[in-house]
């Protein structure tokens, strides 16, 4: 039964990974691609705000992505450190969102309800990961 919970937790992390990885990937591709801003025409304002804000927000999101990848591996192995990596990912997400909103040309317009829902989603993910991993 624990394996089913681990698979559900791993799938939840896999759903979150693309949303975390796209902005750092675009930012890292930027120096090697002269057409970066042409690729971003019509892109989601969240992605463009991370790219326009400079390296700090994108690198914070990259750390969050790496933490989620580590959490995915930890969940599949049943290790408790995976829950801690979810917390690390949530903190770096919040910092990345803050800096992208304050440093970028594209303003992020999140309502208080959206911010609360993002936080609650990370709390639910943390509870799920903590519930399916052992303390050994």
């Amino acid at each position: 039964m624990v394996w089913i919970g681990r698979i559900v937790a791993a799938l939840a992390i896999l759903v979150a990974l693309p949303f975390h990885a796209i902005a750092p990937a675009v930012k890292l591709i930027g120096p090697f691609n002269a057409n970066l801003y042409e690729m971003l025409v019509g892109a989601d304002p969240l992605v463009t705000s991370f790219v326009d804000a400079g390296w700090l927000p994108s690198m914070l999101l990259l750390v969050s992505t790496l933490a989620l990848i580590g959490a995915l591996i930890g969940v599949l192995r049943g290790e408790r450190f995976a829950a801690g990596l979810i917390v690390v990912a949530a903190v770096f997400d919040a910092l990345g969102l803050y800096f992208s909103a304050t440093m970028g040309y594209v303003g992020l317009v999140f309502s208080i309800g959206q911010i609360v829902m993002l936080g609650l989603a990370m709390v639910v993910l943390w509870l799920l990961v903590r519930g399916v991993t052992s303390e050994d």
Side-chain angles (χ1 to χ4, degrees):
M1 198 60 153
V2 173
W3 275 101
I4 293 172
R6 287 183 187 170
I7 291 171
V8 169
L11 288 175
I13 293 170
L14 281 175
V15 167
L17 269 174
F19 297 107
H20 288 80
I22 191 165
V26 168
K27 191 65 175 181
L28 291 173
I29 291 170
F32 306 107
N33 189 348
N35 301 324
L36 173 68
Y37 288 99
E38 289 177 13
M39 291 188 322
L40 290 176
V41 172
D44 188 279
L46 187 59
V47 174
T48 57
S49 69
F50 274 95
V51 174
D52 283 341
W55 285 95
L56 180 63
S58 293
M59 292 304 103
L60 290 170
L61 204 57
L62 179 64
V63 171
S64 176
T65 303
L66 295 174
L68 285 176
I69 291 170
L72 176 66
I73 293 167
V75 163
L76 292 175
R77 292 182 55 201
E79 301 285 340
R80 183 53 64 100
F81 71 84
L85 289 175
I86 297 295
V87 173
V88 169
V91 168
F92 279 91
D93 279 349
L95 288 172
L97 282 171
Y98 172 75
F99 285 118
S100 70
T102 57
M103 297 172 72
Y105 298 112
V106 179
L108 293 177
V109 183
F110 280 121
S111 69
I112 190 69
Q114 289 171 321
I115 294 169
V116 168
M117 290 306 290
L118 287 170
L120 282 176
M122 291 304 272
V123 169
V124 168
L125 185 59
W126 177 79
L127 287 172
L128 180 62
V129 168
R130 187 153 170 91
V132 298
T133 55
S134 63
E135 292 184 36
D136 300 344

